[in-house]
Amino acid sequence: MSMATKARAPATAALKGRGAASYVSGRFETATTHAEDDGWDSLQARDDTDPEPHPDTRVHEERARSIVSRNDSPDIGFGQSVNPYRGCEHGCVYCFARPSHAYLNLSPGLDFETRLFAKTNAAERLRAEFSRKGYRCSPIALGINTDAYQPIERRYRITRSLIEVMAECRHPFSLITKNALVTRDIDLLAPLARQRLVTVYFSVTTLDNRLSAKMEPRAAAPHARLRAMRELSEAGVPVGVMVAPVIPALNDHEIEAILEAAHAAGARAAGHVLLRLPHELKDVWREWLQLHHPDRAAHVMSLVRQMRGGRDYDSRFGSRMRGEGPFADLLAQRFERARRRLGFTRLPTLETSLFRPPEAPGDQGQLF
């Protein structure tokens, strides 16, 4: 796929409704361009107070060759995952999945949240996977790399079509989302929950609407996520909360408050993940810090490095999610104390024994 190369100009202002502020170059690009002021603009008749044009969202429809990804990482609690979309319009500036756009020769910065890919045949590929001879049922994590309920799901409904296939086959799955759109599918999720075939986690980064609007501009507002938790819980769907990411000197003081609010909304399991800055994400994040919190940017990064062995990121298993050192230990202790005080436990184990492969066209069972 041919994509136009973009000039990498230093960001001087945040873009309303976007997390990233510029087109950070991907690590696989063989050539990059940098914008330089040659003085020509000063000779043109233009108003320097005009804002830069906002990048629009474009969706490329694609036909996936496969849909189920396998995982053997020891610090991730799932073996299979399905991602209906690539890129995510939520625009969360801290998203660990941003560097995946570099594989497409696109920027992990603005491209990640404005150049999206919808796998329009996802349900078809999932049905084929379940029909494969020798397929062994194990829970699927739906929407792990990018959110399955990001805004374009309202139009494409790919996530709903995947849930319909899993409901037909009684295949267990879990969801994690930042979007209240998940409540649209309660009619599917509630019956599945009664068979122990689904659990839903909400990622909550902050309860501060202003901070949320800057860090995750197109995700559901914190109060909307809590309301969605309550709706699902009252419908009988097991709900958990992920305090993620925990960012030192920015939102770490909210750990206890987030857990309290989530528990009151019906969440019965909880986890937390420390800020992760793999590959190009560190550049996106540093730029955001300088634009939104220049007074504390150096302090935030100093604490991050203290928890990452003196680096921006440590990718080692066992360390990448929680960090290490005194400050990371303190955060973990605070989380665990609050979790126990509030009575968080675990969500029900998902049931795998009910799985049945989809019926082939022409099966006699379709007549009845």
Side-chain angles (χ1 to χ4, degrees), residues 8-45:
R8 169 70 167 97
T12 58
L15 295 176
K16 185 177 181 180
R18 298 297 182 188
S22 70
Y23 294 97
V24 171
S25 300
R27 60 194 181 282
F28 300 119
E29 294 180 21
T30 57
T32 59
T33 58
H34 296 263
E36 296 289 346
D37 182 7
D38 60 3
W40 181 253
D41 281 349
S42 63
L43 303 178
Q44 308 303 306

PDB file of all heavy atoms in Angstrom, residues 8-45:
ATOM      1  N   ARG A   8       7.885  15.979   9.075  1.00  0.00           N
ATOM      2  CA  ARG A   8       7.902  15.904  10.531  1.00  0.00           C
ATOM      3  C   ARG A   8       8.250  17.273  11.081  1.00  0.00           C
ATOM      4  O   ARG A   8       9.411  17.638  11.204  1.00  0.00           O
ATOM      5  CB  ARG A   8       8.910  14.845  10.991  1.00  0.00           C
ATOM      6  CG  ARG A   8       9.207  14.842  12.478  1.00  0.00           C
ATOM      7  CD  ARG A   8       8.005  14.354  13.277  1.00  0.00           C
ATOM      8  NE  ARG A   8       8.398  14.070  14.645  1.00  0.00           N
ATOM      9  CZ  ARG A   8       8.252  14.911  15.653  1.00  0.00           C
ATOM     10  NH1 ARG A   8       7.737  16.109  15.437  1.00  0.00           N
ATOM     11  NH2 ARG A   8       8.605  14.577  16.881  1.00  0.00           N
ATOM     12  N   ALA A   9       7.233  18.090  11.333  1.00  0.00           N
ATOM     13  CA  ALA A   9       7.463  19.427  11.870  1.00  0.00           C
ATOM     14  C   ALA A   9       7.282  19.401  13.385  1.00  0.00           C
ATOM     15  O   ALA A   9       6.385  18.737  13.886  1.00  0.00           O
ATOM     16  CB  ALA A   9       6.470  20.411  11.250  1.00  0.00           C
ATOM     17  N   PRO A  10       8.111  20.094  14.122  1.00  0.00           N
ATOM     18  CA  PRO A  10       7.942  20.144  15.571  1.00  0.00           C
ATOM     19  C   PRO A  10       6.583  20.722  15.925  1.00  0.00           C
ATOM     20  O   PRO A  10       6.140  21.726  15.365  1.00  0.00           O
ATOM     21  CB  PRO A  10       9.080  21.077  16.019  1.00  0.00           C
ATOM     22  CG  PRO A  10      10.076  21.059  14.902  1.00  0.00           C
ATOM     23  CD  PRO A  10       9.272  20.882  13.658  1.00  0.00           C
ATOM     24  N   ALA A  11       5.911  20.091  16.861  1.00  0.00           N
ATOM     25  CA  ALA A  11       4.586  20.562  17.270  1.00  0.00           C
ATOM     26  C   ALA A  11       4.734  21.766  18.190  1.00  0.00           C
ATOM     27  O   ALA A  11       5.530  21.759  19.127  1.00  0.00           O
ATOM     28  CB  ALA A  11       3.836  19.445  17.977  1.00  0.00           C
ATOM     29  N   THR A  12       3.978  22.799  17.903  1.00  0.00           N
ATOM     30  CA  THR A  12       4.005  23.994  18.744  1.00  0.00           C
ATOM     31  C   THR A  12       2.713  24.170  19.519  1.00  0.00           C
ATOM     32  O   THR A  12       2.619  25.033  20.380  1.00  0.00           O
ATOM     33  CB  THR A  12       4.250  25.246  17.879  1.00  0.00           C
ATOM     34  OG1 THR A  12       3.216  25.338  16.884  1.00  0.00           O
ATOM     35  CG2 THR A  12       5.610  25.163  17.191  1.00  0.00           C
ATOM     36  N   ALA A  13       1.711  23.362  19.188  1.00  0.00           N
ATOM     37  CA  ALA A  13       0.429  23.448  19.888  1.00  0.00           C
ATOM     38  C   ALA A  13      -0.284  22.113  19.776  1.00  0.00           C
ATOM     39  O   ALA A  13      -0.068  21.346  18.826  1.00  0.00           O
ATOM     40  CB  ALA A  13      -0.434  24.564  19.287  1.00  0.00           C
ATOM     41  N   ALA A  14      -1.123  21.833  20.754  1.00  0.00           N
ATOM     42  CA  ALA A  14      -1.928  20.617  20.726  1.00  0.00           C
ATOM     43  C   ALA A  14      -3.040  20.768  19.697  1.00  0.00           C
ATOM     44  O   ALA A  14      -3.440  21.885  19.345  1.00  0.00           O
ATOM     45  CB  ALA A  14      -2.515  20.351  22.103  1.00  0.00           C
ATOM     46  N   LEU A  15      -3.525  19.656  19.181  1.00  0.00           N
ATOM     47  CA  LEU A  15      -4.642  19.653  18.242  1.00  0.00           C
ATOM     48  C   LEU A  15      -5.902  19.228  18.987  1.00  0.00           C
ATOM     49  O   LEU A  15      -5.938  18.157  19.588  1.00  0.00           O
ATOM     50  CB  LEU A  15      -4.371  18.682  17.090  1.00  0.00           C
ATOM     51  CG  LEU A  15      -3.204  19.022  16.166  1.00  0.00           C
ATOM     52  CD1 LEU A  15      -3.004  17.917  15.145  1.00  0.00           C
ATOM     53  CD2 LEU A  15      -3.443  20.353  15.476  1.00  0.00           C
ATOM     54  N   LYS A  16      -6.921  20.049  18.943  1.00  0.00           N
ATOM     55  CA  LYS A  16      -8.152  19.730  19.637  1.00  0.00           C
ATOM     56  C   LYS A  16      -8.748  18.436  19.095  1.00  0.00           C
ATOM     57  O   LYS A  16      -8.865  18.255  17.892  1.00  0.00           O
ATOM     58  CB  LYS A  16      -9.172  20.867  19.472  1.00  0.00           C
ATOM     59  CG  LYS A  16     -10.449  20.657  20.272  1.00  0.00           C
ATOM     60  CD  LYS A  16     -11.388  21.841  20.134  1.00  0.00           C
ATOM     61  CE  LYS A  16     -12.664  21.624  20.958  1.00  0.00           C
ATOM     62  NZ  LYS A  16     -13.595  22.771  20.824  1.00  0.00           N
ATOM     63  N   GLY A  17      -9.104  17.538  19.999  1.00  0.00           N
ATOM     64  CA  GLY A  17      -9.711  16.281  19.595  1.00  0.00           C
ATOM     65  C   GLY A  17      -8.727  15.213  19.179  1.00  0.00           C
ATOM     66  O   GLY A  17      -9.126  14.116  18.786  1.00  0.00           O
ATOM     67  N   ARG A  18      -7.422  15.487  19.283  1.00  0.00           N
ATOM     68  CA  ARG A  18      -6.406  14.508  18.951  1.00  0.00           C
ATOM     69  C   ARG A  18      -5.434  14.358  20.107  1.00  0.00           C
ATOM     70  O   ARG A  18      -5.130  15.321  20.804  1.00  0.00           O
ATOM     71  CB  ARG A  18      -5.637  14.906  17.683  1.00  0.00           C
ATOM     72  CG  ARG A  18      -6.508  14.997  16.431  1.00  0.00           C
ATOM     73  CD  ARG A  18      -7.107  13.651  16.073  1.00  0.00           C
ATOM     74  NE  ARG A  18      -7.915  13.717  14.856  1.00  0.00           N
ATOM     75  CZ  ARG A  18      -8.677  12.706  14.408  1.00  0.00           C
ATOM     76  NH1 ARG A  18      -8.709  11.567  15.082  1.00  0.00           N
ATOM     77  NH2 ARG A  18      -9.383  12.835  13.311  1.00  0.00           N
ATOM     78  N   GLY A  19      -4.924  13.141  20.289  1.00  0.00           N
ATOM     79  CA  GLY A  19      -3.949  12.905  21.345  1.00  0.00           C
ATOM     80  C   GLY A  19      -2.567  13.312  20.909  1.00  0.00           C
ATOM     81  O   GLY A  19      -1.879  14.087  21.569  1.00  0.00           O
ATOM     82  N   ALA A  20      -2.118  12.775  19.770  1.00  0.00           N
ATOM     83  CA  ALA A  20      -0.814  13.154  19.231  1.00  0.00           C
ATOM     84  C   ALA A  20      -0.899  14.542  18.611  1.00  0.00           C
ATOM     85  O   ALA A  20      -1.971  15.006  18.215  1.00  0.00           O
ATOM     86  CB  ALA A  20      -0.358  12.137  18.191  1.00  0.00           C
ATOM     87  N   ALA A  21       0.249  15.184  18.493  1.00  0.00           N
ATOM     88  CA  ALA A  21       0.280  16.539  17.936  1.00  0.00           C
ATOM     89  C   ALA A  21       1.046  16.617  16.633  1.00  0.00           C
ATOM     90  O   ALA A  21       1.076  17.661  15.987  1.00  0.00           O
ATOM     91  CB  ALA A  21       0.895  17.498  18.952  1.00  0.00           C
ATOM     92  N   SER A  22       1.697  15.515  16.226  1.00  0.00           N
ATOM     93  CA  SER A  22       2.485  15.556  14.994  1.00  0.00           C
ATOM     94  C   SER A  22       2.617  14.151  14.418  1.00  0.00           C
ATOM     95  O   SER A  22       2.181  13.172  15.018  1.00  0.00           O
ATOM     96  CB  SER A  22       3.873  16.153  15.264  1.00  0.00           C
ATOM     97  OG  SER A  22       4.655  15.264  16.042  1.00  0.00           O
ATOM     98  N   TYR A  23       3.259  14.076  13.260  1.00  0.00           N
ATOM     99  CA  TYR A  23       3.482  12.800  12.590  1.00  0.00           C
ATOM    100  C   TYR A  23       4.863  12.267  12.963  1.00  0.00           C
ATOM    101  O   TYR A  23       5.845  12.429  12.223  1.00  0.00           O
ATOM    102  CB  TYR A  23       3.360  12.968  11.072  1.00  0.00           C
ATOM    103  CG  TYR A  23       1.971  13.327  10.616  1.00  0.00           C
ATOM    104  CD1 TYR A  23       1.615  14.655  10.366  1.00  0.00           C
ATOM    105  CD2 TYR A  23       0.991  12.339  10.454  1.00  0.00           C
ATOM    106  CE1 TYR A  23       0.325  14.980   9.956  1.00  0.00           C
ATOM    107  CE2 TYR A  23      -0.291  12.656  10.053  1.00  0.00           C
ATOM    108  CZ  TYR A  23      -0.622  13.982   9.805  1.00  0.00           C
ATOM    109  OH  TYR A  23      -1.901  14.304   9.412  1.00  0.00           O
ATOM    110  N   VAL A  24       4.953  11.656  14.124  1.00  0.00           N
ATOM    111  CA  VAL A  24       6.217  11.057  14.556  1.00  0.00           C
ATOM    112  C   VAL A  24       6.620   9.967  13.565  1.00  0.00           C
ATOM    113  O   VAL A  24       5.801   9.139  13.175  1.00  0.00           O
ATOM    114  CB  VAL A  24       6.071  10.468  15.971  1.00  0.00           C
ATOM    115  CG1 VAL A  24       7.297   9.645  16.352  1.00  0.00           C
ATOM    116  CG2 VAL A  24       5.854  11.590  16.976  1.00  0.00           C
ATOM    117  N   SER A  25       7.868   9.974  13.142  1.00  0.00           N
ATOM    118  CA  SER A  25       8.333   9.023  12.139  1.00  0.00           C
ATOM    119  C   SER A  25       8.386   7.609  12.693  1.00  0.00           C
ATOM    120  O   SER A  25       8.718   7.394  13.856  1.00  0.00           O
ATOM    121  CB  SER A  25       9.726   9.418  11.631  1.00  0.00           C
ATOM    122  OG  SER A  25       9.686  10.697  11.039  1.00  0.00           O
ATOM    123  N   GLY A  26       8.062   6.633  11.825  1.00  0.00           N
ATOM    124  CA  GLY A  26       8.123   5.234  12.214  1.00  0.00           C
ATOM    125  C   GLY A  26       9.533   4.691  12.089  1.00  0.00           C
ATOM    126  O   GLY A  26      10.343   5.167  11.280  1.00  0.00           O
ATOM    127  N   ARG A  27       9.845   3.650  12.869  1.00  0.00           N
ATOM    128  CA  ARG A  27      11.203   3.130  12.929  1.00  0.00           C
ATOM    129  C   ARG A  27      11.618   2.359  11.672  1.00  0.00           C
ATOM    130  O   ARG A  27      12.802   2.075  11.483  1.00  0.00           O
ATOM    131  CB  ARG A  27      11.368   2.227  14.154  1.00  0.00           C
ATOM    132  CG  ARG A  27      10.457   1.012  14.187  1.00  0.00           C
ATOM    133  CD  ARG A  27      10.446   0.389  15.586  1.00  0.00           C
ATOM    134  NE  ARG A  27       9.606  -0.797  15.669  1.00  0.00           N
ATOM    135  CZ  ARG A  27       8.275  -0.768  15.768  1.00  0.00           C
ATOM    136  NH1 ARG A  27       7.646   0.402  15.765  1.00  0.00           N
ATOM    137  NH2 ARG A  27       7.587  -1.880  15.868  1.00  0.00           N
ATOM    138  N   PHE A  28      10.664   2.005  10.795  1.00  0.00           N
ATOM    139  CA  PHE A  28      10.994   1.240   9.609  1.00  0.00           C
ATOM    140  C   PHE A  28      11.112   2.114   8.361  1.00  0.00           C
ATOM    141  O   PHE A  28      11.379   1.599   7.273  1.00  0.00           O
ATOM    142  CB  PHE A  28       9.945   0.150   9.363  1.00  0.00           C
ATOM    143  CG  PHE A  28       9.838  -0.821  10.496  1.00  0.00           C
ATOM    144  CD1 PHE A  28       8.649  -0.969  11.198  1.00  0.00           C
ATOM    145  CD2 PHE A  28      10.928  -1.590  10.878  1.00  0.00           C
ATOM    146  CE1 PHE A  28       8.551  -1.852  12.248  1.00  0.00           C
ATOM    147  CE2 PHE A  28      10.838  -2.481  11.921  1.00  0.00           C
ATOM    148  CZ  PHE A  28       9.650  -2.621  12.613  1.00  0.00           C
ATOM    149  N   GLU A  29      10.914   3.396   8.481  1.00  0.00           N
ATOM    150  CA  GLU A  29      10.990   4.275   7.320  1.00  0.00           C
ATOM    151  C   GLU A  29      12.435   4.392   6.850  1.00  0.00           C
ATOM    152  O   GLU A  29      13.349   4.606   7.651  1.00  0.00           O
ATOM    153  CB  GLU A  29      10.419   5.652   7.651  1.00  0.00           C
ATOM    154  CG  GLU A  29       8.913   5.624   7.940  1.00  0.00           C
ATOM    155  CD  GLU A  29       8.369   7.003   8.253  1.00  0.00           C
ATOM    156  OE1 GLU A  29       9.019   7.986   7.865  1.00  0.00           O
ATOM    157  OE2 GLU A  29       7.293   7.083   8.877  1.00  0.00           O
ATOM    158  N   THR A  30      12.645   4.249   5.560  1.00  0.00           N
ATOM    159  CA  THR A  30      14.002   4.350   5.001  1.00  0.00           C
ATOM    160  C   THR A  30      14.412   5.799   4.778  1.00  0.00           C
ATOM    161  O   THR A  30      15.592   6.105   4.645  1.00  0.00           O
ATOM    162  CB  THR A  30      14.093   3.593   3.665  1.00  0.00           C
ATOM    163  OG1 THR A  30      13.109   4.116   2.767  1.00  0.00           O
ATOM    164  CG2 THR A  30      13.839   2.103   3.882  1.00  0.00           C
ATOM    165  N   ALA A  31      13.420   6.687   4.706  1.00  0.00           N
ATOM    166  CA  ALA A  31      13.722   8.113   4.533  1.00  0.00           C
ATOM    167  C   ALA A  31      12.655   8.917   5.249  1.00  0.00           C
ATOM    168  O   ALA A  31      11.477   8.569   5.226  1.00  0.00           O
ATOM    169  CB  ALA A  31      13.760   8.486   3.058  1.00  0.00           C
ATOM    170  N   THR A  32      13.062   9.956   5.913  1.00  0.00           N
ATOM    171  CA  THR A  32      12.118  10.844   6.575  1.00  0.00           C
ATOM    172  C   THR A  32      12.401  12.267   6.149  1.00  0.00           C
ATOM    173  O   THR A  32      13.521  12.601   5.733  1.00  0.00           O
ATOM    174  CB  THR A  32      12.231  10.752   8.111  1.00  0.00           C
ATOM    175  OG1 THR A  32      13.562  11.106   8.507  1.00  0.00           O
ATOM    176  CG2 THR A  32      11.901   9.357   8.603  1.00  0.00           C
ATOM    177  N   THR A  33      11.391  13.107   6.221  1.00  0.00           N
ATOM    178  CA  THR A  33      11.554  14.515   5.874  1.00  0.00           C
ATOM    179  C   THR A  33      11.269  15.377   7.085  1.00  0.00           C
ATOM    180  O   THR A  33      10.433  15.035   7.912  1.00  0.00           O
ATOM    181  CB  THR A  33      10.600  14.917   4.735  1.00  0.00           C
ATOM    182  OG1 THR A  33       9.251  14.640   5.142  1.00  0.00           O
ATOM    183  CG2 THR A  33      10.919  14.137   3.470  1.00  0.00           C
ATOM    184  N   HIS A  34      11.965  16.462   7.206  1.00  0.00           N
ATOM    185  CA  HIS A  34      11.784  17.397   8.302  1.00  0.00           C
ATOM    186  C   HIS A  34      11.435  18.763   7.731  1.00  0.00           C
ATOM    187  O   HIS A  34      12.102  19.240   6.795  1.00  0.00           O
ATOM    188  CB  HIS A  34      13.049  17.503   9.161  1.00  0.00           C
ATOM    189  CG  HIS A  34      13.398  16.237   9.856  1.00  0.00           C
ATOM    190  ND1 HIS A  34      13.053  15.971  11.157  1.00  0.00           N
ATOM    191  CD2 HIS A  34      14.050  15.136   9.404  1.00  0.00           C
ATOM    192  CE1 HIS A  34      13.493  14.777  11.487  1.00  0.00           C
ATOM    193  NE2 HIS A  34      14.105  14.247  10.436  1.00  0.00           N
ATOM    194  N   ALA A  35      10.423  19.380   8.279  1.00  0.00           N
ATOM    195  CA  ALA A  35      10.015  20.700   7.792  1.00  0.00           C
ATOM    196  C   ALA A  35      10.987  21.760   8.303  1.00  0.00           C
ATOM    197  O   ALA A  35      11.363  21.762   9.469  1.00  0.00           O
ATOM    198  CB  ALA A  35       8.603  21.005   8.268  1.00  0.00           C
ATOM    199  N   GLU A  36      11.404  22.647   7.433  1.00  0.00           N
ATOM    200  CA  GLU A  36      12.293  23.740   7.793  1.00  0.00           C
ATOM    201  C   GLU A  36      11.688  25.047   7.281  1.00  0.00           C
ATOM    202  O   GLU A  36      11.105  25.093   6.196  1.00  0.00           O
ATOM    203  CB  GLU A  36      13.680  23.547   7.175  1.00  0.00           C
ATOM    204  CG  GLU A  36      14.426  22.326   7.680  1.00  0.00           C
ATOM    205  CD  GLU A  36      14.906  22.474   9.109  1.00  0.00           C
ATOM    206  OE1 GLU A  36      14.878  23.633   9.607  1.00  0.00           O
ATOM    207  OE2 GLU A  36      15.289  21.477   9.710  1.00  0.00           O
ATOM    208  N   ASP A  37      11.833  26.100   8.058  1.00  0.00           N
ATOM    209  CA  ASP A  37      11.327  27.412   7.672  1.00  0.00           C
ATOM    210  C   ASP A  37      12.347  28.072   6.747  1.00  0.00           C
ATOM    211  O   ASP A  37      13.458  28.420   7.158  1.00  0.00           O
ATOM    212  CB  ASP A  37      11.096  28.267   8.919  1.00  0.00           C
ATOM    213  CG  ASP A  37      10.513  29.628   8.569  1.00  0.00           C
ATOM    214  OD1 ASP A  37      10.170  29.838   7.390  1.00  0.00           O
ATOM    215  OD2 ASP A  37      10.397  30.468   9.486  1.00  0.00           O
ATOM    216  N   ASP A  38      11.983  28.244   5.463  1.00  0.00           N
ATOM    217  CA  ASP A  38      12.888  28.897   4.518  1.00  0.00           C
ATOM    218  C   ASP A  38      12.570  30.366   4.325  1.00  0.00           C
ATOM    219  O   ASP A  38      13.124  31.034   3.461  1.00  0.00           O
ATOM    220  CB  ASP A  38      12.859  28.175   3.163  1.00  0.00           C
ATOM    221  CG  ASP A  38      11.464  28.169   2.538  1.00  0.00           C
ATOM    222  OD1 ASP A  38      10.555  28.782   3.144  1.00  0.00           O
ATOM    223  OD2 ASP A  38      11.296  27.561   1.463  1.00  0.00           O
ATOM    224  N   GLY A  39      11.619  30.881   5.134  1.00  0.00           N
ATOM    225  CA  GLY A  39      11.271  32.285   5.058  1.00  0.00           C
ATOM    226  C   GLY A  39      10.223  32.615   4.026  1.00  0.00           C
ATOM    227  O   GLY A  39       9.751  33.748   3.953  1.00  0.00           O
ATOM    228  N   TRP A  40       9.837  31.635   3.205  1.00  0.00           N
ATOM    229  CA  TRP A  40       8.889  31.907   2.127  1.00  0.00           C
ATOM    230  C   TRP A  40       7.529  32.322   2.673  1.00  0.00           C
ATOM    231  O   TRP A  40       6.880  33.213   2.138  1.00  0.00           O
ATOM    232  CB  TRP A  40       8.761  30.679   1.241  1.00  0.00           C
ATOM    233  CG  TRP A  40       7.819  30.867   0.088  1.00  0.00           C
ATOM    234  CD1 TRP A  40       6.589  30.343  -0.043  1.00  0.00           C
ATOM    235  CD2 TRP A  40       8.029  31.673  -1.071  1.00  0.00           C
ATOM    236  NE1 TRP A  40       6.007  30.744  -1.213  1.00  0.00           N
ATOM    237  CE2 TRP A  40       6.877  31.564  -1.872  1.00  0.00           C
ATOM    238  CE3 TRP A  40       9.084  32.473  -1.522  1.00  0.00           C
ATOM    239  CZ2 TRP A  40       6.747  32.227  -3.091  1.00  0.00           C
ATOM    240  CZ3 TRP A  40       8.947  33.124  -2.723  1.00  0.00           C
ATOM    241  CH2 TRP A  40       7.800  33.006  -3.497  1.00  0.00           C
ATOM    242  N   ASP A  41       7.109  31.658   3.769  1.00  0.00           N
ATOM    243  CA  ASP A  41       5.796  31.977   4.317  1.00  0.00           C
ATOM    244  C   ASP A  41       5.690  33.432   4.734  1.00  0.00           C
ATOM    245  O   ASP A  41       4.621  34.036   4.685  1.00  0.00           O
ATOM    246  CB  ASP A  41       5.491  31.086   5.534  1.00  0.00           C
ATOM    247  CG  ASP A  41       5.029  29.696   5.102  1.00  0.00           C
ATOM    248  OD1 ASP A  41       4.755  29.521   3.906  1.00  0.00           O
ATOM    249  OD2 ASP A  41       4.963  28.805   5.969  1.00  0.00           O
ATOM    250  N   SER A  42       6.811  33.992   5.142  1.00  0.00           N
ATOM    251  CA  SER A  42       6.756  35.377   5.601  1.00  0.00           C
ATOM    252  C   SER A  42       6.468  36.339   4.454  1.00  0.00           C
ATOM    253  O   SER A  42       6.091  37.490   4.677  1.00  0.00           O
ATOM    254  CB  SER A  42       8.090  35.761   6.267  1.00  0.00           C
ATOM    255  OG  SER A  42       9.146  35.683   5.320  1.00  0.00           O
ATOM    256  N   LEU A  43       6.675  35.872   3.210  1.00  0.00           N
ATOM    257  CA  LEU A  43       6.407  36.711   2.048  1.00  0.00           C
ATOM    258  C   LEU A  43       4.990  36.549   1.522  1.00  0.00           C
ATOM    259  O   LEU A  43       4.570  37.284   0.630  1.00  0.00           O
ATOM    260  CB  LEU A  43       7.399  36.374   0.928  1.00  0.00           C
ATOM    261  CG  LEU A  43       8.882  36.515   1.278  1.00  0.00           C
ATOM    262  CD1 LEU A  43       9.728  36.092   0.085  1.00  0.00           C
ATOM    263  CD2 LEU A  43       9.188  37.961   1.677  1.00  0.00           C
ATOM    264  N   GLN A  44       4.280  35.572   2.057  1.00  0.00           N
ATOM    265  CA  GLN A  44       2.934  35.312   1.577  1.00  0.00           C
ATOM    266  C   GLN A  44       1.914  36.081   2.406  1.00  0.00           C
ATOM    267  O   GLN A  44       2.120  36.348   3.592  1.00  0.00           O
ATOM    268  CB  GLN A  44       2.631  33.810   1.654  1.00  0.00           C
ATOM    269  CG  GLN A  44       3.681  32.934   0.972  1.00  0.00           C
ATOM    270  CD  GLN A  44       3.855  33.311  -0.484  1.00  0.00           C
ATOM    271  OE1 GLN A  44       2.889  33.344  -1.234  1.00  0.00           O
ATOM    272  NE2 GLN A  44       5.087  33.605  -0.872  1.00  0.00           N
ATOM    273  N   ALA A  45       0.838  36.420   1.759  1.00  0.00           N
ATOM    274  CA  ALA A  45      -0.235  37.116   2.466  1.00  0.00           C
ATOM    275  C   ALA A  45      -1.090  36.086   3.189  1.00  0.00           C
ATOM    276  O   ALA A  45      -1.926  35.422   2.580  1.00  0.00           O
ATOM    277  CB  ALA A  45      -1.089  37.911   1.466  1.00  0.00           C
TER     278      ALA A  45
END
